């Protein structure tokens, strides 16, 4: 028993010693020489709902009590400066190593130790300061030598506070001797809402609003606070009767009677008001016992009385009723209105912590439009959202530092009229003013030194936020920090954010893309509800690279990449592709995901990962398929495999920049191919064969066949080219097929010109001229060369067809084409054999007759067969001459 007591006493001693040494200054004792010791003051609220009481304890410490503050960043500290203006306070210094770390303080009390090198003489202004955003949450001013140690009153601090509802409070301080009560109404409510508070008629036990004397506080459209004295005669908005001009309803006292005995009836006096962090605060004073006994109720400070309150929308003045009038509060009791018993002389403080509004943004919101320019000017800082700030700030469309909302993919046009000393730019930096001067990094999205102008000569700045622009950026001045404010970047339509789009198979999935220099940005959106959405690059899901987007159990969008080499769940292999700017969301069950990936994966030459082979070539069509299902998870099973999938791949032409996909072989392109086969496979070769092997036929039939077949083939070729160009919306020379085709068409078009320029054939027995010989060689070589190149174009066209559309019958058509030309080659060999046999027989004198004049005169115009017919007819008008001679060439 004794040993237990001894151990307990020893433990208590050690704990007390530990607490003593933790609270003591680390080896340094504070003196008490400063004249500021004992000085007390309250913090002036600037933002973050900061309140608190301050007291100097000694030369190196101070105490903070009744401290409220909404959480800030991780760099909120106590800060010292020589003055509260923007230039001086931003050049201040931390006075303690105590950080107010991302915590909401609720009626807290604590003591703070100054840094060893800091004294009270150095501090003229003490602030709660956010180092990251250069923000003053609240401050107080210390007296200088010889000045009064009693500071001025801080308007946000009161002796008492009572919660009226979850987002509405009343604060008050009482002065019975001087017959007044100061009331502070504080509510997390909208800017144009009113706050009403007052005393009910003590003679009423129900319908407490009737005969009540209330104060209604609110803000004007310009943000100025006001308070009016109201008297309630009925449950209705204030109305005036036309006959006698009497008022009824919830009306200001001055509506009933403007003056009584020459004194105004509005007995409430505005003291102070502000809007901070989505919270309205208005302080006013009213007498406990007013000289107006008709519309004001006396307040007994020592008795418990019934008070009523309400929140609602304030109606601004108009030409009929030139007063701000509260509208029906609506809403449930104890949320939008209520009553309670209150004795104002009793000390009450049940307001624990600051009010935290859901919407803390009070600045005007401007939504940018692609058609209307935003006029940027400068003006006086009146309600800048992030104090401290310069005296001059940026205005957009005559609104002070508004929140600007833009859509990705929609260009924003600024008309910069800020003067030559203010240059506008869009930056990732919270403060602006050229972050490099603060040794900080920033991303500049638009603007710069050149973006400055005046009204007479504005500068036009166009900024097009894209899908990679962050959700929040800032418009600022390049030369002066904290002149601008936030830009909210929201998703527009996917069609605005991406250059191209196309429906995939069955029009169940829309595919979007934008091609950059080394990467491609892709989005996919389902057109019906599903648990997940997948797209894959390949002819089908098997042997493809897939991208799957889904929403997990925590409600977070996920996107994974896979290699699929079979139809079972075990054949779906997770890969690790280098994706950036990944997003996935579900709206009403519709899955949409986005990502950016490089064309060539960043893999080493020895890397054998599957994803390293997922190379995209923007010059070739991309085959895309899709799948949907009810559920996706990291560990797949047969249950969560897809329930619906595309029936066939879609061909997406990435570089074309148009919203179209290549699906099946198009009929027009099929006609193009058939016409080219008809020209290069039948007509043109037939014309050559006629000129080569039909000259033994009587008359000029060979010539007419030759000309007609060549002209017909050339016309069909040109028509087929026009069909292809019209169907493909352009003439593209990227493929080998098109290059062979151009060469073949050029050679074919040269032949008619060559025939027209043909030199005259010499008379029989006369040696041919050199021009004639050159022409004959050129005509034969070009014609036969055109056929060879044309046949090559046919085969490369079949190859292009197979690569482009993966037609099932492409290989069969290719073999049919090969067999056709083999048959043609055999026919040429046979005809050439017969021709050589005929020559040999004639040389040996055998009786092979040649009908007509075998010494054909090709001096006639080959392009005009009528001339040739006339010439032949004239020659044959006489007696027919039968002769035997070798068929000379």
């Amino acid at each position: 028993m004794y040993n237990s007591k001894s151990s307990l006493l020893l433990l208590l001693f050690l704990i007390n010693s530990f607490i003593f040494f933790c609270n003591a200054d680390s080896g340094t004792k504070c003196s008490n020489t400063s004249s500021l010791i004992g000085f007390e003051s309250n913090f002036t609220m600037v933002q973050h709902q900061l309140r608190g009481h301050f007291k100097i304890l000694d030369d190196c410490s101070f105490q903070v009590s009744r401290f409220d503050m909404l959480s800030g960043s991780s760099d909120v500290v106590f800060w010292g400066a020589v003055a509260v203006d923007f230039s001086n306070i931003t050049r201040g210094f931390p006075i303690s190593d105590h950080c107010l770390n991302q915590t909401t303080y609720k009626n807290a009390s604590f003591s703070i130790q100054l840094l060893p090198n800091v004294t009270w003489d150095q501090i003229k202004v003490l602030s709660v300061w956010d180092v990251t955003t250069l923000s003053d949450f609240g401050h107080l001013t210390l007296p200088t030598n010889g000045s009064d140690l009693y500071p001025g009153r801080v308007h946000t601090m009161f002796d008492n506070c009572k919660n009226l509802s979850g987002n509405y409070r009343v604060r008050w301080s009482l002065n019975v001797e001087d017959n007044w009560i100061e009331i502070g109404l504080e509510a997390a409510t909208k800017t144009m809402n009113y706050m009403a508070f007052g005393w009910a008629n003590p003679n009423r036990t129900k319908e407490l609003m009737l005969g009540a004397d209330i104060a209604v506080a609110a803000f004007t459209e310009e943000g100025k606070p006001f308070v009016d004295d109201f008297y309630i005669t009925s449950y209705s908005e204030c109305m005036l009767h036309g006959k006698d001009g009497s008022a009824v309803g919830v009306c200001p006292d001055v509506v009933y009677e403007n003056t009584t005995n020459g004194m105004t009836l509005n007995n409430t006096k505005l003291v102070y008001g502000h809007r901070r962090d989505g919270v309205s605060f208005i302080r006013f004073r009213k007498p406990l016992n007013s000289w107006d006994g008709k519309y004001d109720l006396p307040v007994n400070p020592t008795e418990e009385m019934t008070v009523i309150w309400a929140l609602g929308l304030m109606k601004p003045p108009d030409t009929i009723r030139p007063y701000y009038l509260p509208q029906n509060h609506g809403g449930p009791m104890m949320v939008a209105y209520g009553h309670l018993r209150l004795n104002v002389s009793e000390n009450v403080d049940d307001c624990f912590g600051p009010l935290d509004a859901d919407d803390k943004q009070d600045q005007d919101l401007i939504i940018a439009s692609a058609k209307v320019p935003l006029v940027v000017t400068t003006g006086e800082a009146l309600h800048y959202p992030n104090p401290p700030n310069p005296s001059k700030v940026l205005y957009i469309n005559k609104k002070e530092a508004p929140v600007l909302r833009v859509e990705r993919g929609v260009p924003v046009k600024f008309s910069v009229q800020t003067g030559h000393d203010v240059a506008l730019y869009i930056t990732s930096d919270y403060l602006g003013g050229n972050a490099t001067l603060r040794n900080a990094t920033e991303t500049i999205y638009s603007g710069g030194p050149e973006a400055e102008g005046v009204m007479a000569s504005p500068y036009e700045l166009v900024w097009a936020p894209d899908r990679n622009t962050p959700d929040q950026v800032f418009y600022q001045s390049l030369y002066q920090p904290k002149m601008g404010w936030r830009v909210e970047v929201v998703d527009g339509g996917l069609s605005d954010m991406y250059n191209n789009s196309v429906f995939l198979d069955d029009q169940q999935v829309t595919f979007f893309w934008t091609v950059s220099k080394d990467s491609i940005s892709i989005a996919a959106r389902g057109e019906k509800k599903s648990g997940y959405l997948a797209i894959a690059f390949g002819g089908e899901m098997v042997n493809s690279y897939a991208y799957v987007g889904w929403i997990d159990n925590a409600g977070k969008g996920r996107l994974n990449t896979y290699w699929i080499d079979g139809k079972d769940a075990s054949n779906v292999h997770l890969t690790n592709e280098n994706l950036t700017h990944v997003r996935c969301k579900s709206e009403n069950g519709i899955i949409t995901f986005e990502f950016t990936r490089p064309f060539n994966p960043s893999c080493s030459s020895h890397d054998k990962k599957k994803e390293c082979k997922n190379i995209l070539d923007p010059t070739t069509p991309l085959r895309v398929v899709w799948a949907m299902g009810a559920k996706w998870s990291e560990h797949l099973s047969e249950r969560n495999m897809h329930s619906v999938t595309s029936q066939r791949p879609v061909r997406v032409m990435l570089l074309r920049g148009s919203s179209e996909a290549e699906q099946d072989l198009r009929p027009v392109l099929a006609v193009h191919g058939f016409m080219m086969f008809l020209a290069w496979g039948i007509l043109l070769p037939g014309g050559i064969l006629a000129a080569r092997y039909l000259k033994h036929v009587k008359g000029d039939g060979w010539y007419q066949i030759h000309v007609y077949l060549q002209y017909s083939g050339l016309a069909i070729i040109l028509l087929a080219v026009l069909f292809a160009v019209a169907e493909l919306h352009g003439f593209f020379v990227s493929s080998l097929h098109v290059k062979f085709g151009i060469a073949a068409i050029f050679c074919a078009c040269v032949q008619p010109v060559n025939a027209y320029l043909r030199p005259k054939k010499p008379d029989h027995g006369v040696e041919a001229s050199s021009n004639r010989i050159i022409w004959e060689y050129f005509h034969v070589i070009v014609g036969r060369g055109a056929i060879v190149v044309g046949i090559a174009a046919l085969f490369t066209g079949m190859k292009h067809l197979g690569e482009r559309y993966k037609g099932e019958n492409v290989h069969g058509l290719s073999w049919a084409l090969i067999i056709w030309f083999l048959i043609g080659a055999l026919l040429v060999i046979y005809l050439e054999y017969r021709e050589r046999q005929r020559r040999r027989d004639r040389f040996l004198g055998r009786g092979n007759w040649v009908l007509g004049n075998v010494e054909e005169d090709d001096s006639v115009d080959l392009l005009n067969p009528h001339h040739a017919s006339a010439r032949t007819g004239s020659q044959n008008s006489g007696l027919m001459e039968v002769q035997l001679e070798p068929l000379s060439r």
Side-chain angles (χ1 to χ4, degrees):
M1 185 69 179
Y2 177 79
N3 292 334
S4 299
K5 288 183 178 181
S6 300
S7 300
L8 181 58
L9 290 173
L10 179 60
L11 179 61
L12 291 173
F13 174 78
L14 292 175
I15 292 175
N16 289 331
S17 300
F18 177 76
I19 294 175
F20 172 80
F21 284 111
C22 285
N23 290 330
D25 188 17
S26 51
T28 304
K29 292 184 179 181
C30 289
S31 60
N32 295 290
T33 60
S34 174
S35 60
L36 296 177
I37 294 175
F39 171 78
E40 298 183 49
S41 181
N42 293 316
F43 283 97
T44 297
M45 179 191 298
V46 179
Q47 52 184 315
H48 282 252
Q49 295 300 297
L50 184 141
R51 284 184 175 88
H53 183 75
F54 169 86
K55 182 179 180 180
I56 296 179
L57 300 178
D58 49 38
D59 287 348
C60 58
S61 65
F62 61 94
Q63 183 182 55
V64 177
S65 58
R66 299 172 60 193
F67 186 72
D68 290 349
M69 188 187 76
L70 295 175
S71 63
S73 73
S74 59
D75 293 323
V76 180
V77 298
F78 287 100
W79 187 262
V82 298
V84 76
D85 62 278
F86 176 74
S87 177
N88 281 298
I89 197 170
T90 53
R91 291 200 298 263
F93 51 92
I95 64 172
S96 170
D97 57 6
H98 182 87
C99 291
L100 305 171
N101 290 328
Q102 296 178 297
T103 303
T104 296
Y105 288 84
K106 300 179 179 180
N107 202 25
S109 296
F110 45 86
S111 296
I112 301 297
Q113 199 82 17
L114 296 180
L115 291 172
N117 59 342
V118 176
T119 64
W120 291 117
D121 294 337
Q122 299 172 279
I123 304 170
K124 308 305 179 186
V125 174
L126 190 148
S127 168
V128 176
W129 184 262
D130 191 329
V131 178
T132 302
T133 61
L134 299 187
S135 300
D136 180 17
F137 289 2
H139 62 265
L140 54 89
T141 302
L142 274 62
T144 57
N145 294 332
S147 64
D148 190 358
L149 288 178
Y150 297 97
R153 181 175 56 172
V154 174
H155 299 302
T156 56
M157 299 296 290
F158 292 82
D159 299 329
N160 306 280
C161 184
K162 180 71 177 178
N163 274 318
L164 301 177
S165 69
N167 62 344
Y168 188 20
R169 294 170 176 176
V170 58
R171 300 175 184 268
W172 72 93
S173 294
L174 184 66
N175 190 330
V176 178
E177 294 180 0
D178 292 336
N179 188 39
W180 56 257
I181 181 172
E182 285 199 354
I183 298 173
L185 300 180
E186 182 181 40
T189 187
K190 296 181 179 179
T191 305
M192 290 303 296
N193 282 3
Y194 66 83
M195 302 176 289
F197 179 84
W199 278 262
N201 192 322
N203 298 323
R204 301 190 67 89
T205 57
K206 59 181 181 179
E207 295 183 337
L208 299 176
M209 287 184 63
L210 295 179
D213 174 23
I214 63 172
V216 177
F219 291 86
T220 66
E221 293 91 330
E222 294 79 21
K224 296 181 179 180
F226 68 92
V227 60
D228 282 330
D229 199 2
F230 277 69
Y231 184 75
I232 302 175
T233 58
S234 70
Y235 287 96
S236 67
E237 294 182 19
C238 185
M239 296 181 294
L240 298 176
H241 291 293
K243 295 182 179 180
D244 56 2
S246 61
V248 62
V250 183
C251 299
D253 289 2
V254 295
V255 173
Y256 298 107
E257 294 182 37
N258 191 23
T259 60
T260 298
N261 299 326
M263 302 185 67
T264 180
L265 293 179
N266 186 8
N267 292 314
T268 58
K269 179 182 178 182
L270 176 68
V271 176
Y272 175 79
H274 69 224
R275 282 278 300 181
R276 299 281 192 272
D277 314 303
V279 176
S280 295
F281 174 81
I282 293 179
R283 181 171 186 152
F284 62 92
R285 177 183 292 185
K286 69 170 294 177
L288 295 173
N289 292 288
S290 172
W291 52 265
D292 176 15
K294 188 174 182 179
Y295 301 109
D296 288 349
L297 297 175
V299 178
N300 191 330
T302 61
E303 289 186 3
E304 192 176 68
M305 300 180 67
T306 300
V307 295
I308 61 174
W309 59 269
L311 294 171
L313 181 63
M314 179 68 87
K315 184 177 181 180
D318 54 34
T319 56
I320 299 176
R321 288 173 285 193
Y323 303 99
Y324 283 91
L325 299 177
Q327 295 183 306
N328 193 315
H329 48 70
M333 187 174 181
M334 302 311 296
V335 175
Y337 70 100
H339 65 273
L340 69 150
R341 302 284 291 178
L342 183 66
N343 186 338
V344 295
S345 62
E346 294 181 355
N347 290 328
V348 179
D349 190 4
D350 62 1
C351 302
F352 186 66
L355 286 178
D356 192 357
D358 294 331
D359 183 9
K360 298 180 176 62
Q361 181 60 57
D362 284 335
Q363 293 301 105
D364 291 314
L365 174 65
I366 292 181
I367 300 176
S369 170
K371 299 180 180 179
V372 181
L374 301 173
V375 180
V376 184
T377 57
T378 57
E380 182 183 1
L382 301 174
H383 306 287
Y384 188 77
N386 181 32
N389 51 270
S391 59
K392 183 173 70 172
V393 297
L394 294 176
Y395 280 64
I396 297 181
N397 291 355
K398 298 183 179 180
K399 298 183 183 296
E400 179 187 359
V403 175
L404 180 60
R405 181 175 295 168
V406 301
E407 290 187 359
R408 293 182 174 91
V410 179
V412 183
K413 184 184 295 184
F414 298 91
S415 177
V416 184
Q417 306 172 17
T418 54
H420 298 303
D421 60 338
V422 176
L424 179 70
Y425 79 129
I426 311 298
T427 174
S428 61
D429 187 63
Y430 190 86
L431 305 174
N434 195 347
T436 56
L437 298 179
R438 307 190 308 273
N439 296 321
T441 58
E442 66 178 335
T443 300
I444 298 177
Y445 299 96
S446 185
E450 71 284 354
E452 48 87 9
V454 295
M455 184 180 297
S457 177
Y459 180 86
E460 185 177 283
L461 174 65
V462 179
W463 170 45
D466 56 29
R467 64 172 304 274
N468 300 329
T469 305
D471 293 338
Q472 178 173 278
V473 293
F474 303 88
Y475 64 92
Q476 294 285 1
S477 166
L478 185 65
Y479 306 126
Q480 173 71 54
K482 299 186 75 173
M483 288 188 67
W485 192 226
R486 294 192 298 114
V487 180
E488 294 179 354
V489 185
V490 299
D491 288 341
L494 290 176
S495 57
D496 293 329
M497 298 164 57
Y498 292 86
N499 294 340
N500 313 284
S501 65
V502 66
F503 277 118
L504 299 184
D505 186 44
D506 295 334
Q507 297 189 352
Q508 298 297 313
V509 176
T510 309
F511 183 78
F512 303 85
W513 77 97
T514 295
V515 174
S516 302
K517 181 180 179 181
D518 299 316
S519 63
I520 180 171
S521 298
I522 292 174
R525 180 183 65 207
E527 300 299 327
K528 66 178 183 179
K529 295 182 179 180
S530 63
Y532 72 86
L533 172 65
I535 61 170
F537 300 154
E540 55 182 352
M541 279 294 176
V542 178
N543 295 323
S544 69
Y545 294 94
Y547 303 82
V548 183
W550 79 100
I551 307 299
D552 60 19
N553 295 330
K556 181 181 178 182
R558 302 282 302 278
L559 180 66
N560 278 354
T561 60
Y562 300 90
W563 162 252
I564 304 175
D565 58 5
K567 296 184 177 181
D568 297 330
S570 59
N571 298 118
V572 181
H573 310 286
L574 182 67
T575 58
N576 186 26
E577 291 194 28
N578 182 24
L579 303 185
T580 58
H581 303 101
V582 176
R583 298 177 188 160
C584 181
K585 63 181 180 180
S586 175
E587 295 181 349
N588 299 321
I590 302 296
I591 300 289
T592 302
F593 63 77
E594 305 172 67
F595 62 90
T596 298
R597 56 149 293 174
F599 287 124
N600 295 305
S602 55
C603 299
S604 64
S605 58
H606 303 290
D607 204 332
K608 297 183 179 180
K609 295 179 181 179
K610 280 293 183 182
E611 56 264 32
C612 294
K613 298 181 179 179
N614 187 12
I615 300 173
L616 296 185
D617 183 0
T619 63
T620 60
L622 178 66
R623 303 165 66 205
V624 185
V625 294
W626 60 266
M628 295 183 187
K631 185 179 180 181
W632 191 267
S633 65
E634 297 287 353
H635 305 287
L636 293 175
S637 64
E638 300 299 330
R639 294 182 179 180
N640 53 22
M641 295 294 283
H642 58 73
S643 57
V644 58
T645 184
S646 54
Q647 300 299 315
R648 53 190 173 181
V650 169
R651 295 275 166 193
V652 179
M653 312 301 293
L654 297 178
L655 289 183
R656 183 162 302 163
S658 60
S659 299
E660 60 181 50
E662 305 293 343
Q663 296 178 327
D664 294 327
L665 176 60
R666 305 184 201 177
V668 175
L669 295 183
V671 171
H672 165 82
F674 176 76
M675 293 174 71
M676 287 299 187
F677 167 74
L678 182 63
W680 294 108
I682 298 177
L683 298 179
L684 296 179
I688 293 177
L689 293 179
R692 172 68 176 168
Y693 301 113
L694 293 183
K695 289 185 178 180
H696 65 279
V697 178
K698 181 182 178 180
D700 62 344
W702 70 270
Y703 170 77
Q704 294 187 18
I705 293 173
H706 173 76
V707 171
Y708 290 149
L709 289 181
Q710 301 302 94
Y711 281 167
S712 299
L714 185 59
I716 290 174
I717 288 172
L718 297 177
L719 190 61
V721 170
L722 292 178
F723 282 173
V725 170
E727 181 67 10
L728 297 176
H729 303 288
F731 193 80
F732 305 97
V733 198
S734 56
S735 68
L736 184 63
H737 166 65
V738 177
K739 294 175 181 177
F740 271 121
I742 292 174
I745 294 172
F746 175 78
C747 293
C749 291
V750 165
Q751 288 296 79
V753 179
N754 181 32
Y756 181 77
L757 300 177
R758 180 189 74 254
K760 182 179 179 181
K761 184 178 180 179
D763 295 334
H764 184 66
V766 179
E767 184 179 357
S769 65
S770 59
N771 289 339
R772 174 72 187 195
I773 295 174
I774 293 173
W775 175 86
E776 288 179 350
Y777 277 106
F778 184 82
H779 189 67
V780 171
I781 293 173
V782 172
R784 295 176 182 178
I787 293 296
V788 173
V789 178
I791 293 173
L794 287 178
F795 280 103
T796 55
M798 295 300 296
K799 182 176 182 295
H800 188 60
L801 176 69
E803 293 176 349
R804 187 182 182 100
Y805 299 102
K806 296 297 180 183
E808 296 179 356
N809 56 349
V810 169
H811 293 292
L813 291 174
S814 298
W815 278 109
L817 197 62
I818 292 173
I819 293 172
W820 172 262
F821 284 112
L822 285 176
I823 293 174
L826 292 175
L827 177 63
V828 169
I829 292 173
Y830 171 73
L831 292 175
E832 192 67 25
Y833 169 76
R834 290 292 305 272
E835 182 68 17
R836 292 181 181 275
Q837 187 69 29
R838 184 180 295 110
R839 288 183 183 182
R840 187 173 62 253
D841 291 345
R842 291 174 62 186
F843 179 76
L844 296 176
R846 295 180 183 177
N848 287 334
W849 295 86
V850 178
L851 302 177
N853 183 12
V854 298
E855 292 296 335
E856 68 277 0
D857 186 2
D858 60 359
S859 63
V860 298
D861 189 358
L862 290 176
L863 296 179
N864 194 339
H866 296 289
H867 293 174
S869 299
R871 178 72 176 268
T872 305
S874 64
Q875 291 177 354
N876 295 335
S877 61
L879 295 176
M880 178 184 296
E881 178 183 3
V882 179
Q883 61 183 16
L884 294 173
E885 64 180 64
L887 183 62
S888 60
R889 290 282 181 232

